[in-house]
Amino acid sequence: MAVTLKDIAQRVGVSVTTVSRALGGYEDVAEATREKVLHAAEELGYYPSATARQLQKRRTDTIGFVIPTFGPRFSDPYFSELLAGIGNEAARHNFDLLVSTRSPDSPEEEEAYHRLVDGRRVDGVLVVRTRIEDSRLAYLTQRNFPFVAFGRSQANEDFPYLDVDGQKGLRDVVQHLIDLGHERIAYVSAPLNLTFATHRLAGYKQALEESGLAYDENLVVVGYLTEEDGYQAAHRLLSLPNPPTAIAVANDLMALGVMRAAHERGLNVGHDVAITGFDDIPLAAHAHPPLTTVCQPIYDIGQRVCRMLIQVIKGEPVAERHILLAPTLVIRESSGATHQ
Amino acid sequence: MAVTLKDIAQRVGVSVTTVSRALGGYEDVAEATREKVLHAAEELGYYPSATARQLQKRRTDTIGFVIPTFGPRFSDPYFSELLAGIGNEAARHNFDLLVSTRSPDSPEEEEAYHRLVDGRRVDGVLVVRTRIEDSRLAYLTQRNFPFVAFGRSQANEDFPYLDVDGQKGLRDVVQHLIDLGHERIAYVSAPLNLTFATHRLAGYKQALEESGLAYDENLVVVGYLTEEDGYQAAHRLLSLPNPPTAIAVANDLMALGVMRAAHERGLNVGHDVAITGFDDIPLAAHAHPPLTTVCQPIYDIGQRVCRMLIQVIKGEPVAERHILLAPTLVIRESSGATHQ
DNA sequence: CTTGACATCCGAAACGTTTTGGATTATAAT
DNA sequence: ATTATAATCCAAAACGTTTCGGATGTCAAG
């Protein structure tokens, strides 16, 4: 049995109220009693019950985070790093983190949100990888529950979010490929129900258009963000009668798969074919050859998004409700820049 | 304001007790009242307060998981997959998952455990990446708090754990290298305060000994499990006056770094130098060349370890308190087997 | 009638805190 | 001596559940 305020109260011979207030640092308790209370607490090894506190204060000091995963298992380094950013920032503010992993748009995902929100297990939630029609966003706004999204949505709903300008990111990287002389540039996209996927695709198109290159829909294929899907997409693209000389990819994990397919076909990446990614996961710099990509500071994003959420929860004014970060192009060897 | 039992009680004109029991499916409530209660609950959108329940039932139905990370940011795919395994299994049993990321053996890590355990935020915790002298294990046993470890400890303490036989794993993979004709085999180890690191090192030594090869301490270097550390270790090893022809590595992430260093030196991995890893993260199969490694089924391990913990929490008898899984050798191209 | 059995309900306590609104006592000012 | 002031303390209510131990009413059997 854990030690409670009552135990201390009995030991010291004072009321529970006084113990609570002594421990809480209130002014209306005599220095002598405070010390006795402190001693007793120390001696008995008192540690307040989080649950009791939560019930009384009607807040949990916990934030919820449901990670959308394709398939039960996943290992996108992207999420580990985002999680670290969120978790460490939460800890700094004395918040806990309740995590679930669910596949997107599934009944299980919906249930997870109900559990967190309706069950009042958390004070706010973080939504990532937003979708064009996003039931999570709809639910949370309708419930008027504190949340912050990493990513925008289709509609012009007004919720606080932070996003990376994927359109600019892809425009820049494709422009980079064009500068290197490429004219047949393929694109491995993410599923287009994901908001960021549409932005990145738009960036791809924009770059082509700005340089007067035609958009060829045969050069665009969709993958579910895994290495394996990138691998397969690349094989499809490279089997075309008139294969691309460059392949831009919507995320690094798929780009790694694309590189593997290229290698398998005896192509020299960065020479015979240019390949680029998006995210700049740690492995990107360490790929073979190192991957040209678009850097979004995932760890920082996790921190910032978490900080925003805590502000929302506390009802503090949020400096910026809508943040759009400009990603930066990171040129490495896979795009062949060094060979030019 | 959320809907409470009281609201339903008032609406139906019945006591809170009855509402609770009606909702709880007890037999001592008339069918007619039960229906009225159910209707009202539905209408008002009642959802029980997790906190209130937790306080009353004196359990949280939550398990704690503190992820040990080197440096604030981390992105070991290994942990994403472990987390998915744990999280999904927890969900199956209607348990929540409270997650923190802390650097091992730090005051912050210790504080995280206190918060979870002393604050009674969780009913049990999962300990991973056990250390030889592990203050977490000592603390939890002393507190008599439910926990399960993924990994053993030095002492013969009797706590429930699941571990992978790293000694066998490394013995097998080094034997594989020996079979391929290698005689100068280096080893990139994990920090030796980690239990699994000592087992794997023992396996390395065992294989050498069994084949009558001398153990050369210059061929063993330690890295902190990151790609970067593997990279640096490899450069050190390959700069030796008499460099190794094969490098066994304690985990896949470092092995990827080792491969990068080898490439950088113009070595053809799998031909000029053999490289092997441990874990079989998804990326291993997709490395260039594909990485020969030792497979431990991380996702399954997450599930099993979680299931064990829930049994411990519920006081159910745990079928096996000490599980030692035999990992399997996965031969791919990086060890050069295909070239023999 | 009385009794017992059963069906249905409920008050009150408990879980461990925090907070509200005084109560009590001592001290200082008039 | 009276009164205001300040310094300490505390009982009770509240947070939203569950559970324990009856209470009440009905009905059939004696």
Side-chain angles (χ1 to χ4, degrees):
Chain A
M1 280 284 69
V3 179
T4 73
L5 288 183
K6 202 160 143 192
D7 298 323
I8 302 182
Q10 272 165 355
R11 171 73 148 262
V12 178
V14 82
S15 81
V16 168
T17 307
T18 301
V19 175
S20 174
R21 300 186 69 83
L23 259 21
Y26 284 74
E27 285 306 325
D28 65 348
V29 28
E31 207 41 55
T33 22
R34 156 163 296 128
E35 290 201 347
K36 280 195 281 183
V37 168
L38 256 23
H39 272 136
E42 173 76 16
E43 242 179 77
L44 299 176
Y46 172 75
Y47 203 105
S49 153
T51 308
R53 259 223 245 273
Q54 285 170 12
L55 180 59
Q56 146 72 27
K57 306 200 109 142
R58 257 140 311 175
R59 59 193 167 89
T60 60
D61 288 334
T62 304
I63 81 181
F65 181 33
V66 181
I67 306 178
T69 60
F70 294 109
R73 39 207 315 171
F74 83 108
S75 71
D76 199 328
Y78 178 87
F79 280 121
S80 324
E81 193 152 349
L82 187 64
L83 182 64
I86 295 171
N88 290 343
E89 186 66 15
R92 271 193 357 102
H93 296 273
N94 276 301
F95 268 70
D96 289 310
L97 191 58
L98 209 45
V99 174
S100 307
T101 55
R102 297 301 149 88
S103 61
D105 255 332
S106 63
E108 290 78 23
E109 182 188 55
E110 196 182 349
E111 194 225 306
Y113 277 90
H114 277 275
R115 194 176 164 87
L116 296 180
V117 174
D118 296 332
R120 282 146 285 166
R121 281 174 162 78
V122 299
D123 296 337
V125 299
L126 245 23
V127 177
V128 305
R129 212 165 254 182
T130 49
R131 309 187 278 262
I132 301 252
E133 304 257 302
D134 203 318
S135 53
R136 303 170 295 174
L137 268 23
Y139 168 67
L140 292 166
T141 37
Q142 175 251 319
R143 270 281 194 286
N144 196 26
F145 197 80
F147 75 99
V148 169
F150 172 23
R152 289 162 279 174
S153 89
Q154 172 85 307
N156 47 356
E157 295 148 27
D158 177 47
F159 54 83
Y161 67 78
L162 180 155
D163 202 358
V164 164
D165 191 343
Q167 173 160 1
K168 174 185 185 310
L170 234 97
R171 197 205 72 92
D172 289 356
V173 76
V174 171
Q175 183 61 52
H176 166 66
L177 291 170
I178 293 172
D179 290 346
L180 292 172
H182 292 280
E183 300 195 332
R184 273 190 76 68
I185 303 173
Y187 178 51
V188 181
S189 171
L192 290 168
N193 65 321
L194 300 176
T195 322
F196 80 81
T198 67
H199 292 137
R200 293 186 194 174
L201 180 59
Y204 165 73
K205 289 182 180 171
Q206 181 189 351
L208 294 184
E209 196 173 333
E210 286 174 359
S211 295
L213 294 175
Y215 170 72
D216 179 352
E217 68 177 11
N218 294 313
L219 290 181
V220 174
V221 324
V222 168
Y224 281 85
L225 297 166
T226 64
E227 201 277 352
E228 180 61 26
D229 276 19
Y231 173 80
Q232 303 204 357
H235 272 312
R236 285 216 346 243
L237 289 168
L238 295 171
S239 301
L240 288 174
N242 185 9
T245 62
I247 307 180
V249 188
N251 74 328
D252 286 352
L253 213 53
M254 285 202 293
L256 294 176
V258 170
M259 294 213 318
R260 179 164 62 102
H263 286 135
E264 209 171 276
R265 293 175 158 254
L267 296 175
N268 186 340
V269 173
H271 204 256
D272 302 331
V273 62
I275 295 174
T276 65
F278 198 115
D279 281 349
D280 198 26
I281 61 179
L283 242 30
H286 305 143
H288 171 71
L291 185 66
T292 290
T293 190
V294 179
C295 176
Q296 46 177 340
I298 309 181
Y299 182 84
D300 294 335
I301 288 173
Q303 286 192 314
R304 294 184 63 168
V305 134
C306 183
R307 207 172 315 141
M308 283 172 77
L309 178 57
I310 290 176
Q311 287 177 340
V312 172
I313 288 173
K314 293 192 170 169
E316 296 170 4
V318 180
E320 300 176 84
R321 279 174 59 86
H322 306 300
I323 299 178
L324 193 58
L325 259 33
T328 58
L329 183 60
V330 179
I331 298 174
R332 300 200 184 95
E333 294 170 32
S334 73
S335 57
T338 55
H339 298 290
Q340 297 294 318
Chain B
M1 281 281 69
V3 179
T4 73
L5 288 184
K6 204 160 142 192
D7 298 324
I8 302 182
Q10 272 164 356
R11 171 73 149 262
V12 178
V14 82
S15 82
V16 168
T17 306
T18 301
V19 175
S20 175
R21 299 185 70 82
L23 259 22
Y26 284 76
E27 284 307 323
D28 66 348
V29 27
E31 208 42 53
T33 15
R34 157 163 296 127
E35 289 201 347
K36 279 195 281 183
V37 168
L38 256 24
H39 272 135
E42 173 75 17
E43 241 179 78
L44 299 176
Y46 172 76
Y47 203 106
S49 152
T51 308
R53 260 225 245 272
Q54 285 171 13
L55 181 58
Q56 146 71 26
K57 306 201 106 141
R58 255 142 311 174
R59 57 192 167 90
T60 60
D61 289 333
T62 304
I63 80 182
F65 181 34
V66 181
I67 304 178
T69 59
F70 295 109
R73 41 206 313 171
F74 85 106
S75 71
D76 199 330
Y78 178 87
F79 281 120
S80 325
E81 193 153 348
L82 188 63
L83 182 65
I86 294 170
N88 290 343
E89 186 66 15
R92 269 192 0 99
H93 296 273
N94 275 300
F95 269 69
D96 288 310
L97 191 58
L98 210 44
V99 174
S100 305
T101 55
R102 296 300 148 88
S103 62
D105 256 333
S106 63
E108 290 78 22
E109 183 189 54
E110 196 181 348
E111 194 225 308
Y113 277 91
H114 278 275
R115 194 176 165 87
L116 295 181
V117 174
D118 297 331
R120 282 144 286 164
R121 282 174 161 77
V122 299
D123 296 337
V125 299
L126 246 21
V127 178
V128 304
R129 210 164 254 183
T130 50
R131 309 186 278 261
I132 302 253
E133 305 255 304
D134 203 317
S135 53
R136 302 170 295 173
L137 267 23
Y139 168 67
L140 292 167
T141 37
Q142 175 251 319
R143 271 281 194 286
N144 196 26
F145 197 80
F147 75 99
V148 169
F150 172 25
R152 288 162 282 174
S153 90
Q154 172 85 308
N156 45 358
E157 295 148 27
D158 177 47
F159 54 84
Y161 67 77
L162 180 154
D163 202 358
V164 163
D165 191 345
Q167 174 160 359
K168 173 186 184 309
L170 233 98
R171 197 205 71 93
D172 289 355
V173 75
V174 171
Q175 184 60 53
H176 165 67
L177 291 170
I178 293 172
D179 290 345
L180 292 173
H182 293 281
E183 299 196 333
R184 275 190 75 69
I185 303 173
Y187 178 50
V188 181
S189 171
L192 290 167
N193 64 322
L194 300 176
T195 321
F196 79 82
T198 67
H199 292 138
R200 293 185 193 175
L201 180 60
Y204 166 75
K205 289 180 179 172
Q206 182 190 351
L208 294 184
E209 197 173 331
E210 285 173 0
S211 296
L213 294 175
Y215 170 73
D216 178 354
E217 66 176 13
N218 293 314
L219 289 183
V220 174
V221 324
V222 169
Y224 281 84
L225 297 166
T226 64
E227 201 276 352
E228 180 63 23
D229 275 21
Y231 173 80
Q232 302 203 358
H235 272 312
R236 286 214 347 244
L237 289 169
L238 294 171
S239 301
L240 288 175
N242 185 9
T245 62
I247 307 178
V249 188
N251 73 328
D252 286 351
L253 212 53
M254 284 200 295
L256 294 177
V258 170
M259 293 214 319
R260 180 165 61 102
H263 286 136
E264 207 171 278
R265 291 172 160 256
L267 296 174
N268 185 340
V269 173
H271 205 254
D272 303 332
V273 62
I275 296 174
T276 66
F278 198 115
D279 282 349
D280 197 26
I281 60 179
L283 242 31
H286 305 142
H288 172 73
L291 184 67
T292 290
T293 190
V294 179
C295 176
Q296 47 178 339
I298 309 180
Y299 182 85
D300 294 335
I301 289 173
Q303 285 192 313
R304 294 184 64 167
V305 134
C306 183
R307 207 172 315 141
M308 285 172 76
L309 178 57
I310 290 176
Q311 287 176 341
V312 172
I313 290 173
K314 294 192 169 169
E316 297 170 3
V318 180
E320 300 178 86
R321 278 173 61 85
H322 306 301
I323 300 179
L324 193 59
L325 260 33
T328 58
L329 182 61
V330 179
I331 298 175
R332 299 199 184 96
E333 295 171 30
S334 72
S335 57
T338 55
H339 298 291
Q340 297 295 316

